[in-house]
């Protein structure tokens, strides 16, 4: 299904607040496709870029086990590229530049991926690196084929992931929302860091898989990319420090999501449009019957990664088993009656009307 302009405008009467919050000609228009998939009953979503090609005979099934990454230092960001068959001085877009030659210390051990809600596939040929890397290193390059391990993050560990080849399982479909108040080169990276912080509260995490795709990159100007990525170079350290310290007592995941995005707006990481878009996105998911994961009563109820590492994962599974996805109110105000003449509620996770249809 290709959602052309007419198909997108057909959604406006059903979700006017969300559609008005999403600007045209912006990377964040992918949010419309994500909503469409969820409306039509998607149980998982592969978020791909248009210049990624599936490898021959590739298995899109995520791995059942991975190397779990545990903190062994005061810093908290993991660079998967050197451990997955790239050079020792390679790094993903959004990785803090001050850690390139001084990476955080980690320990790993093999564990099941039962708590992984999002899987990031790496990309061969044109991996996702930033403009500085492209101006100072040789690209293209491939990850070494002998590097077959996947890496799953434990609570407290952060890694930037992108929107180029990423699988969102049903418990993380809420996390598909891309920020729209920042440049597209920043949007998916900011999403990745925000989402990881919220996943900690529901006992879930992110994992990185060896390449399932080859990227044949569309024409880019690396200098223009570098300028567009300005926030990644100068704001990432402050963002990560804030996310590590942030806590919330909100009883629902949507409540925490809105609270976190609001706090990021107040600190100039996001614009006001993203506060509105987040509220409307969560309201839309609630209307169609999406079931949000239930967070811990408070973030301190979760086991931190240092203590978890002593038994290599057993501490995390206790909370994970307690997390049962059940219907939760997204935002209380979202349940208020619609104004006269507005569309009736959309049927629960059923096919959306065609572009020629209108709400009944």
């Amino acid at each position: 299904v290709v959602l052309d302009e007419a198909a997108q405008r057909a959604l406006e009467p059903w979700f006017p607040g969300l559609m008005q919050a999403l600007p045209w000609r912006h990377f964040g228009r992918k949010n419309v496709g994500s909503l469409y998939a969820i409306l039509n009953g998607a149980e998982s979503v592969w978020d791909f870029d248009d210049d990624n090609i599936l490898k021959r005979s590739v298995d899109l099934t995520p791995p059942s086990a991975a190397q779990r990454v545990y903190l062994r230092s005061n810093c908290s960001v993991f660079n998967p590229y050197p451990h997955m068959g790239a050079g020792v001085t390679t790094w993903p877009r959004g990785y803090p530049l001050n850690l390139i030659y001084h990476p955080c210390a980690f320990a790993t051990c093999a564990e099941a991926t039962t708590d992984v809600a999002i899987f990031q596939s790496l990309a061969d040929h044109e991996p996702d690196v930033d403009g500085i890397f492209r101006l100072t290193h040789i690209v293209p390059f491939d990850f070494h084929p002998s590097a077959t391990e996947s890496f799953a993050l434990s609570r407290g560990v952060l890694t930037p992931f992108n929107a180029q080849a990423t699988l969102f399982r049903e418990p993380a479909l809420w996390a598909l929302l891309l920020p729209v108040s920042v440049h597209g080169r920043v949007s998916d990276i900011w999403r990745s860091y925000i989402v990881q912080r919220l996943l900690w509260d529901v006992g879930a995490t992110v994992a990185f898989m060896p390449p399932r795709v080859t990227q044949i990159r569309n024409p880019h100007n690396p200098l223009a990319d570098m300028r567009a990525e300005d926030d990644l170079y100068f704001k990432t350290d402050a963002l990560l420090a804030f996310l590590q310290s942030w806590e919330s007592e909100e009883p629902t995941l949507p409540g925490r999501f809105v609270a976190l995005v609001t706090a990021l707006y107040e600190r100039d990481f996001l614009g006001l449009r993203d506060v509105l878009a987040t509220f409307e996105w969560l309201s839309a998911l609630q209307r169609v019957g999406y079931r949000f994961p239930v967070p811990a009563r408070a973030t301190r109820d979760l086991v931190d990664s240092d203590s978890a590492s002593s038994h290599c994962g057993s501490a995390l599974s206790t909370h994970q088993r307690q997390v049962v996805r059940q219907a939760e109110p997204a935002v209380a105000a979202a349940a208020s009656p619609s104004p006269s003449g507005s569309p009736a509620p959309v049927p629960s996770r059923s096919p959306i009307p065609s572009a020629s249809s209108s709400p009944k």
Side-chain angles (χ1 to χ4, degrees):
V1 176
V2 177
L3 296 179
D4 59 13
E5 181 178 345
Q8 293 182 52
R9 291 197 182 280
L11 288 169
E12 290 179 354
W14 298 87
F15 306 101
L18 177 61
M19 299 302 287
Q20 290 170 14
L22 303 180
W24 289 91
R25 301 185 66 81
H26 186 279
F27 189 67
R29 290 302 293 189
K30 291 181 80 171
N31 293 326
V32 181
S34 298
L35 177 62
Y36 183 90
I38 295 169
L39 285 172
N40 283 275
E43 296 180 357
S44 60
V45 171
W46 270 101
D47 188 4
F48 283 115
D49 249 5
D50 60 347
D51 50 6
N52 282 282
I53 302 170
L54 287 176
K55 290 180 172 291
R56 288 178 179 270
S57 303
V58 68
D59 182 5
L60 290 178
T61 305
S64 59
Q67 292 294 318
R68 184 77 58 170
V69 177
Y70 291 105
L71 284 170
R72 287 295 189 213
S73 61
N74 292 328
C75 60
S76 59
V77 189
F78 175 64
N79 178 2
Y81 281 18
H83 305 278
M84 300 183 73
V88 294
T89 57
T90 58
W91 65 90
R93 176 168 53 97
Y95 184 72
L97 299 181
N98 61 300
L99 296 179
I100 293 171
Y101 290 104
H102 305 283
C104 302
F106 291 92
T108 65
C109 65
E111 287 186 27
T113 57
T114 52
D115 63 335
V116 176
I118 299 173
F119 285 89
Q120 164 83 87
S121 166
L122 303 184
D124 273 338
H125 191 67
E126 288 278 3
D128 186 35
V129 292
D130 59 33
I132 289 179
F133 187 97
R134 293 184 183 280
L135 290 166
T136 58
H137 293 71
I138 296 174
V139 182
F141 68 87
D142 288 348
F143 292 88
H144 199 280
S146 65
T148 58
E149 293 279 8
S150 297
F151 288 85
L153 307 182
S154 61
R155 182 179 182 269
V157 183
L158 293 162
T159 300
F161 66 83
N162 57 50
Q164 295 185 357
T166 308
L167 175 64
F168 290 74
R169 287 176 157 173
E170 183 157 11
L173 293 183
W174 57 270
L176 281 159
L177 181 68
L178 286 159
V180 294
S181 65
V182 293
H183 194 280
R185 300 288 300 170
V186 177
S187 177
D188 56 340
I189 302 303
W190 264 201
R191 174 181 73 173
S192 75
Y193 282 134
I194 294 167
V195 163
Q196 285 173 83
R197 174 59 193 84
L198 293 169
L199 286 175
W200 297 349
D201 288 7
V202 295
T205 191
V206 175
F208 291 79
M209 305 183 295
R212 263 65 169 174
V213 297
T214 299
Q215 184 176 92
I216 307 300
R217 201 175 193 231
N218 295 326
H220 277 252
N221 180 333
L223 280 173
D225 284 351
M226 187 176 71
R227 283 193 292 268
E229 294 163 354
D230 192 71
D231 281 359
L232 301 183
Y233 305 138
F234 297 105
K235 290 186 176 183
T236 295
D237 287 331
L239 173 64
L240 300 186
F242 174 72
L243 292 176
Q244 288 284 358
S245 64
W246 182 80
E247 291 192 4
S248 174
E249 301 290 337
E250 289 286 339
T252 67
L253 179 62
R256 294 190 188 189
F257 198 170
V258 172
L260 179 53
V261 171
T262 301
L264 294 174
Y265 158 67
E266 293 170 344
R267 289 158 179 80
D268 198 33
F269 293 107
L270 295 170
L272 180 59
R273 184 187 286 262
D274 276 315
V275 179
L276 301 175
T278 302
F279 176 89
E280 295 294 346
W281 166 260
L282 296 169
S283 299
L285 295 188
Q286 181 196 24
R287 286 180 59 200
V288 302
Y290 175 74
R291 298 185 301 169
F292 292 93
V294 180
R297 287 172 298 173
T299 53
R300 61 176 173 269
D301 292 341
L302 292 170
V303 180
D304 64 34
S305 64
D306 284 330
S307 60
S309 65
S310 62
H311 1 186
C312 211
S314 59
L316 288 179
S317 62
T318 302
H319 175 70
Q320 178 201 335
R321 288 194 299 269
Q322 297 170 350
V323 176
V324 179
R325 289 185 293 110
Q326 54 187 255
E328 284 280 310
V331 185
S336 59
S338 301
S340 176
S342 63
V346 176
S348 177
R349 307 232 12 214
S350 61
I352 201 69
S354 66
S356 61
S357 302
S358 60
K360 294 181 175 61

